Amino acid sequence: MADEKIITEQAADVAPVYDDAAEEAAFKAARQAQMEEDFAKPFDPEAILEVRHLRKCFPLKKTLGGKVTKELIAVDDISFKLKPGETLGIVGESGCGKTTMGRAILKLHQPSGGQIIFNGEDITNYKSSQMREIRKQMQIIFQDPYSSLPPRSTVGGILSEPVEVHKIVPKAEIKDYVLELMDKCGLRDYYYERYPHEFSGGQRQRICIARALSVNPKLVVCDEPVSALDVSIQAQIINLLKDLQKQMNLAYIFISHDLSVVKFISDKIGVMYLGAMMEFGNKKDIFENPLHPYTKALFSAIPHPDPDVKMQRIPLAGDIPSPANPPKGCRFHTRCPYAKEICKHVTPTYKEYEEGHFAACHLLEEE
């Protein structure tokens, strides 16, 4: 009996018992306290965009009275800052919430929680009428250049409409303004009277870029703007975006699966998984010293141009869990090759490990 007691105590030391409900309650209380502290802080005057604990949920089930009983957590507790002229690259697998985050920032989806501070204004709870003036300062380039352009309007009509609605220039000067904008975006003057179906994918994406820039915005969300294009056309569009950024001092949120493109265009990088930010930092820190196992796994999948170089892949087993039923503890533990027992029960704290370099991982806390 004594021997059994010793063995039991040793097992308890090796595998501690976690109370999942208590751990989750403690994490939520700590996060709520952190949110209240962050919400009370003054806005950063240097930032064009400041996102604090952004959250977006979609209801899946409701009672007859309209109470939500089950929801899909698409974006959970996202925070970052972006200055004018900077580009934030957002990477992650399909379904991780990249596009939903971008749309929530633009208020195309109403956020479920958090704060969105744009140009020194808290626009989180702005109504449609209040957002009308803000709309011309924040724009989006959609992923699909085929479906995002109205087929019955000419290029001139597509680009003239936002200029006229927001009264960017006097009505008599609109055509000259649009032609100048088209020239900036690499579009010929005679395209003015043509329709979207007459153009290639690259030309359509240039039209989409011109439409986004027609109202002189300060922030542009680029939602995978080159994913549907050939590699040679991708390079043209990326170079065009960088040139226009320098000319207009634009801030970009660049959403992409292509890590080489993100590395080329970005100043900061955020790595998302299942709605949460796994790692965030400057481009140099993220690529030269990735901290999170998920970031390391993504980078290990980047193909090398030299066939003789042996790649050290980090395989990720299984599929991404459903955001409607995320796993307890760390969201990534079901696929992480380094996961420990604590990862299955306790949600890791998202914190700063180096200056401007954030991550959420229990393995880092042990180092």
Side-chain angles (χ1 to χ4, degrees):
M1 293 293 292
D3 291 341
E4 290 181 3
K5 184 177 180 181
I6 292 172
I7 292 171
T8 303
E9 289 176 351
Q10 290 175 343
D13 291 337
V14 174
V17 177
Y18 294 98
D19 184 339
D20 290 348
E23 294 289 352
E24 186 65 19
F27 173 76
K28 287 183 177 179
R31 184 167 68 176
Q32 183 62 34
Q34 185 64 52
M35 287 171 61
E36 291 175 0
E37 181 182 338
D38 290 343
F39 290 165
K41 292 179 181 178
F43 304 153
D44 187 346
E46 295 183 0
I48 186 67
L49 177 69
E50 192 172 351
V51 177
R52 298 176 176 178
H53 303 282
L54 181 66
R55 184 178 173 87
K56 177 58 186 175
C57 304
F58 295 96
L60 294 179
K61 289 184 180 179
K62 292 184 179 181
T63 63
L64 291 175
K67 182 179 179 181
V68 177
T69 57
K70 187 176 182 181
E71 59 185 10
L72 185 150
I73 305 172
V75 177
D76 191 19
D77 201 22
I78 300 292
S79 299
F80 62 83
K81 295 179 184 178
L82 190 62
K83 295 180 180 179
E86 282 187 337
T87 300
L88 168 62
I90 300 293
V91 299
E93 294 171 281
S94 295
C96 71
K98 304 185 299 296
T99 295
T100 303
M101 182 201 73
R103 293 186 176 216
I105 289 171
L106 297 178
K107 299 207 58 184
L108 299 178
H109 294 316
Q110 181 61 34
S112 304
Q115 274 186 330
I116 303 169
I117 298 102
F118 178 73
N119 203 24
E121 293 182 64
D122 185 352
I123 65 171
T124 314
N125 298 313
Y126 272 19
K127 298 178 181 178
S128 298
S129 56
Q130 293 173 295
M131 283 300 299
R132 184 179 179 87
E133 185 62 27
I134 303 293
R135 289 287 175 215
K136 66 182 180 181
Q137 300 180 54
M138 48 200 315
Q139 288 289 305
I140 184 171
I141 300 170
F142 293 100
Q143 178 178 357
D144 186 3
Y146 292 86
S147 62
S148 59
L149 295 174
R152 297 184 179 181
S153 297
T154 62
V155 171
I158 292 169
L159 300 182
S160 298
E161 184 177 8
V163 177
E164 184 175 355
V165 168
H166 290 286
K167 300 178 181 178
I168 305 300
V169 296
K171 204 165 185 177
E173 300 175 14
I174 289 179
K175 185 171 183 179
D176 291 337
Y177 176 86
V178 169
L179 290 173
E180 183 181 348
L181 177 66
M182 290 171 60
D183 183 60
K184 279 185 182 179
C185 296
L187 297 167
R188 304 291 180 85
D189 289 359
Y190 57 83
Y191 292 172
Y192 190 89
E193 299 295 339
R194 290 189 177 182
Y195 291 85
H197 72 269
E198 300 179 68
F199 297 96
S200 67
Q203 290 171 323
R204 291 187 193 195
Q205 197 60 286
R206 288 176 184 270
I207 297 169
C208 293
I209 292 170
R211 179 177 61 182
L213 301 183
S214 63
V215 290
N216 294 322
K218 297 179 179 178
L219 170 69
V220 180
V221 174
C222 306
D223 185 10
E224 301 191 41
V226 296
S227 62
L229 306 178
D230 293 336
V231 175
S232 60
I233 305 300
Q234 285 185 11
Q236 295 176 21
I237 297 300
I238 294 298
N239 287 328
L240 172 63
L241 288 171
K242 286 183 72 71
D243 291 342
L244 292 170
Q245 183 178 41
K246 290 179 183 178
Q247 294 174 26
M248 304 175 70
N249 198 30
L250 296 168
Y252 288 150
I253 297 177
F254 193 91
I255 298 167
S256 179
H257 291 283
D258 193 329
L259 291 169
S260 59
V261 171
V262 169
K263 184 178 182 180
F264 177 73
I265 198 172
S266 302
D267 301 299
K268 298 176 180 178
I269 295 175
V271 182
M272 289 185 66
Y273 182 81
L274 210 62
M277 192 73 80
M278 296 287 103
E279 188 169 353
F280 180 90
N282 293 322
K283 174 176 63 177
K284 183 178 179 181
D285 294 335
I286 295 291
F287 274 90
E288 294 184 2
N289 183 32
L291 299 178
H292 200 280
Y294 180 60
T295 309
K296 294 176 182 178
L298 287 180
F299 289 174
S300 75
I302 300 175
H304 198 281
D306 187 350
D308 295 326
V309 174
K310 292 184 178 180
M311 304 293 294
Q312 294 183 345
R313 305 284 188 191
I314 301 177
L316 298 180
D319 298 322
I320 302 177
S322 169
N325 187 27
K328 295 178 181 178
C330 177
R331 295 167 187 240
F332 185 56
H333 85 261
T334 58
R335 303 174 70 202
C336 180
Y338 314 109
K340 296 186 176 182
E341 191 65 25
I342 189 174
C343 304
K344 301 175 184 178
H345 303 278
V346 181
T347 305
T349 304
Y350 179 76
K351 60 184 182 182
E352 190 173 20
Y353 287 91
E354 300 171 348
E355 185 178 358
H357 195 170
F358 298 80
C361 182
H362 289 300
L363 300 176
L364 298 172
E365 295 175 4
E366 295 176 1
E367 294 178 358

